[in-house]
């Protein structure tokens, strides 16, 4: 067997190439869309609490901005690399196109271990990173948002830093902010709410009754934990296992999600949660269940474990959780996969609403946000399903065909400058 592609950028390009082949894109269009438009690397010093100065490396990559300003989150993690950020930026381009919101794709990241930094260190690092990337970001050019290990407070520091430099408040420079400074109702839950909508639609297509379905969720951050809660509360699904970085907890009779949320908040981990069996994150993916929701990192479903996945339906709440090889194996085994660029697009969709509200200085009620999100997500799911039926391909390819065609059309119409 050939060596499996696991470099996220190679994965993203391989997925794009497959879609480009099917669409019959010209060599020049293919060459344009394969490469990120801009890549900024910043190395910057931060004073730590003990007085020492430490150097950090961060990135901001814009993949394509032909459909609108660049949009995409910022991730803080020791695993961040330029290739990871490039891949995530490219996925953002397709994600915004698949749900039809007027943004291009971008992503940022800083190599750091936020769990081993004090709040003051985190704030100084965030503000300095924001300053370093301020040559790219702005309400009309590039609008960041939260991603792994970043949150509304961190968005607030970035908004404040950018605004301080300009001399007045510019809330639309970033989304996922706290409500008090121009954040949007519903943004915190938005990605999970999108996951809920596509899960419900996919279950309907597969004749699965939500109340009879057991669900395993990998990851207990913003997306994983809220998805588990909403699937339990609003679809009556039986959540049988959840996990965080310390590992998973499993109970075939069902996990009390609200209790798990409280436990995790109180103890900082799910480890030791009562009435459950401890499982590793690897074991978790192979547990018997109807629906599997990877909501953590890239490369979780690989050629190594794909044959042992028991779920009938995989909802990719994380970005890039499935390698191309695992994707083929799962397809061959008849597993339906709702791809990341569709499944987790609820976050950026409400980010779009937040940006529009900030620009207009006119704010909407939570039910308006949720209704609009719901209709964009179900309409997009429907369009992807119809495309995949029409083209006799899986949902991932259906989503790529729609998204890449939209970005290619915008790129074609704008033409090559000069
Ligand atoms: N980080 C999220 C994502 O991967 C949200 C991006 C945004 O809201 O701009 O889609």
């Amino acid at each position: 067997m050939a060596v499996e592609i696991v470099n996220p950028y190679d994965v993203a390009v391989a997925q794009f190439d497959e879609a480009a082949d099917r669409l019959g894109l010209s060599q020049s269009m293919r060459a344009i869309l394969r490469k990120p438009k801009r890549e900024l690397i910043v190395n910057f010093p931060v004073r730590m609490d003990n007085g020492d100065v430490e150097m950090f490396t961060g990135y901001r990559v814009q993949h394509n901005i032909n459909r609108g300003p660049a949009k995409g989150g910022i991730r803080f993690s020791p695993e961040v690399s330029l290739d990871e950020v490039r891949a995530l930026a490219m996925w953002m381009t397709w994600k915004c196109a698949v749900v039809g919101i007027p943004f291009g794709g971008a992503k940022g990241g800083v190599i750091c271990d936020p769990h081993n930094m004090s709040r003051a260190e985190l704030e100084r690092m965030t503000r300095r990173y924001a300053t370093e990337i301020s040559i790219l970001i702005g309400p009309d050019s590039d609008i960041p948002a939260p991603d792994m290990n970043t949150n509304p407070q961190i968005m607030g520091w970035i908004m404040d830093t950018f605004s301080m430099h300009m001399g007045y408040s510019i809330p639309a420079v970033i989304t996922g902010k706290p409500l008090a400074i121009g954040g949007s109702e519903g943004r915190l839950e938005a990605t999970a709410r999108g996951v809920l909508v596509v899960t419900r639609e996919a279950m309907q297509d597969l004749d699965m009754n939500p109340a009879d379905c057991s669900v395993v969720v990998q990851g207990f951050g913003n997306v994983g934990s809220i998805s588990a809660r909403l699937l339990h509360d609003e679809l009556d699904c039986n959540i049988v296992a959840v996990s965080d970085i310390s590992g998973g907890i499993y109970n075939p009779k069902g996990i009390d999600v609200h209790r798990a949320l409280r436990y995790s908040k109180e103890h900082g981990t799910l480890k030791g949660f009562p009435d459950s069996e401890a499982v590793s994150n690897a074991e978790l993916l192979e547990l018997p269940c109807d629906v599997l929701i990877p909501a953590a990192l890239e490369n979780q479903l690989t050629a190594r474990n794909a044959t042992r996945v028991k779920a009938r339906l995989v909802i990719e709440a994380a970005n890039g959780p499935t390698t191309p090889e695992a994707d083929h194996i799962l397809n061959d085994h008849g597993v339906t996969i709702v791809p990341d660029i569709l499944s987790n697009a609820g976050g950026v969709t409400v980010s779009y609403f937040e940006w529009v509200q900030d620009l207009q200085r006119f704010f909407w009620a939570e039910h308006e946000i949720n209704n609009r999100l719901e209709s964009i997500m179900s309409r997009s799911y429907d369009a992807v399903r119809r495309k995949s039926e029409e083209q006799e391909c899986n949902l991932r390819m259906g989503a790529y065909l729609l998204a890449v065609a939209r970005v290619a059309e915008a790129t074609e119409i704008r033409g090559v400058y000069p």
Side-chain angles (χ1 to χ4, degrees):
M1 200 194 283
V3 183
E4 186 169 20
I5 307 176
V6 288
N7 175 307
Y9 183 57
D10 293 339
V11 170
V13 170
Q15 291 167 336
F16 164 72
D17 280 343
E18 230 184 299
D21 283 345
R22 270 211 185 226
L23 286 167
L25 285 194
S26 67
Q27 276 316 311
S28 52
M29 183 58 71
R30 199 185 276 248
I32 293 170
L33 299 183
R34 273 176 131 233
K35 286 252 186 249
K37 175 185 173 69
R38 292 192 179 108
E39 306 182 338
L40 176 64
I41 304 176
V42 292
N43 298 299
F44 55 93
V46 176
R47 192 167 302 280
M48 308 309 278
D49 290 346
N50 66 5
D52 289 352
V53 168
E54 246 180 61
M55 286 301 286
F56 288 83
T57 298
Y59 308 97
R60 184 74 184 168
V61 173
Q62 298 176 351
H63 170 254
N64 184 288
I65 55 172
N66 287 327
R67 296 183 61 262
K71 188 87 191 76
I74 289 171
R75 128 176 339 195
F76 287 172
S77 149
E79 260 68 64
V80 163
S81 68
L82 181 55
D83 273 345
E84 185 194 42
V85 177
R86 282 175 170 147
L88 291 161
M90 187 188 270
W91 287 327
M92 285 308 303
T93 303
W94 314 138
K95 193 184 298 184
C96 294
V98 88
V99 289
I101 58 176
F103 286 131
K107 205 79 173 200
V110 178
I111 305 171
C112 64
D113 186 359
H115 303 297
N116 283 322
M117 293 169 73
S118 70
R119 183 183 158 97
E121 289 170 341
L122 200 59
E123 176 172 352
R124 287 193 294 274
M125 186 196 76
T126 299
R127 287 184 180 278
R128 180 63 188 248
Y129 169 68
T131 305
E132 297 292 337
I133 64 165
S134 66
I135 55 173
L136 287 185
I137 65 173
D140 297 316
S141 55
D142 183 348
I143 305 113
D147 197 79
M148 193 176 290
N149 296 331
T150 56
N151 57 30
Q153 174 62 73
I154 292 172
M155 301 303 109
W157 290 329
I158 297 177
M159 177 274 198
D160 184 68
T161 302
F162 190 83
S163 299
M164 283 295 140
H165 293 166
M166 303 304 285
Y168 57 99
S169 293
I170 308 174
V173 67
I174 197 158
T175 59
K177 300 177 295 294
L179 275 179
I181 56 166
S184 176
E185 295 285 357
R187 177 60 186 85
L188 209 61
E189 290 189 347
T191 310
R193 213 160 258 296
V195 166
L196 177 80
V197 174
V198 300
T199 306
R200 193 192 59 209
E201 302 278 323
M203 283 176 168
Q204 204 168 11
D205 281 346
L206 296 171
D207 270 329
M208 296 164 85
N209 177 11
D212 296 333
C213 286
S214 54
V215 180
V216 168
V217 182
Q218 184 198 39
F220 214 59
N222 169 277
V223 181
S225 68
I226 305 179
S227 296
R229 171 164 66 78
L230 293 179
L231 285 167
H232 173 267
D233 291 357
E234 299 195 12
L235 284 189
D236 208 17
C237 295
N238 188 22
I239 312 296
V240 293
V242 293
S243 72
D244 60 20
I245 32 174
S246 73
I249 53 170
Y250 173 51
N251 182 343
K253 294 206 187 80
I255 301 271
D256 180 338
V257 180
H258 289 273
R259 200 168 153 211
L261 281 161
R262 283 195 302 274
Y263 186 94
S264 157
K265 213 174 195 172
E266 210 176 291
H267 297 81
T269 174
L270 288 166
K271 215 189 185 114
F273 184 72
D275 305 325
S276 68
E277 185 188 323
V279 289
S280 70
N281 257 304
E283 288 164 339
L284 180 109
L285 300 170
E286 302 172 13
L287 288 172
C289 63
D290 301 301
V291 184
L292 175 62
I293 307 189
L297 281 167
E298 297 95 71
N299 293 335
Q300 297 305 296
L301 299 172
T302 67
R304 286 160 173 273
N305 61 11
T307 52
R308 292 190 297 274
V309 167
K310 314 279 186 310
R312 260 182 86 191
L313 176 61
V314 173
I315 307 287
E316 293 183 337
N319 292 308
T322 312
T323 66
E325 223 171 306
D327 199 39
H328 288 128
I329 296 171
L330 292 168
N331 278 298
D332 288 347
H333 282 70
V335 179
T336 298
I337 304 175
V338 185
D340 48 5
I341 59 170
L342 172 64
S343 294
N344 68 35
V348 74
T349 299
V350 175
S351 275
Y352 167 54
F353 300 158
E354 179 173 337
W355 179 71
V356 168
Q357 292 171 83
D358 288 339
L359 291 175
Q360 301 188 334
R361 284 140 170 94
F362 177 74
F363 290 85
W364 317 343
E366 189 174 3
H367 71 269
E368 294 174 277
I369 305 275
N370 288 347
N371 289 344
R372 284 179 198 256
L373 170 63
E374 166 102 27
S375 75
I376 289 184
M377 290 305 296
S378 56
R379 201 193 321 135
S380 305
Y381 175 87
D382 215 49
V384 166
R385 200 210 37 225
R386 275 187 282 115
K387 183 57 107 186
S388 64
E389 279 166 8
E390 173 197 306
Q391 296 295 317
E392 295 179 8
C393 60
N394 60 37
L395 294 172
R396 186 184 317 279
M397 182 53 72
Y400 267 80
L401 292 177
L402 272 180
V404 173
R406 285 174 183 163
V407 178
E409 186 192 0
T411 304
E412 185 70 40
I413 292 171
R414 290 185 60 156
V416 176
Y417 175 88

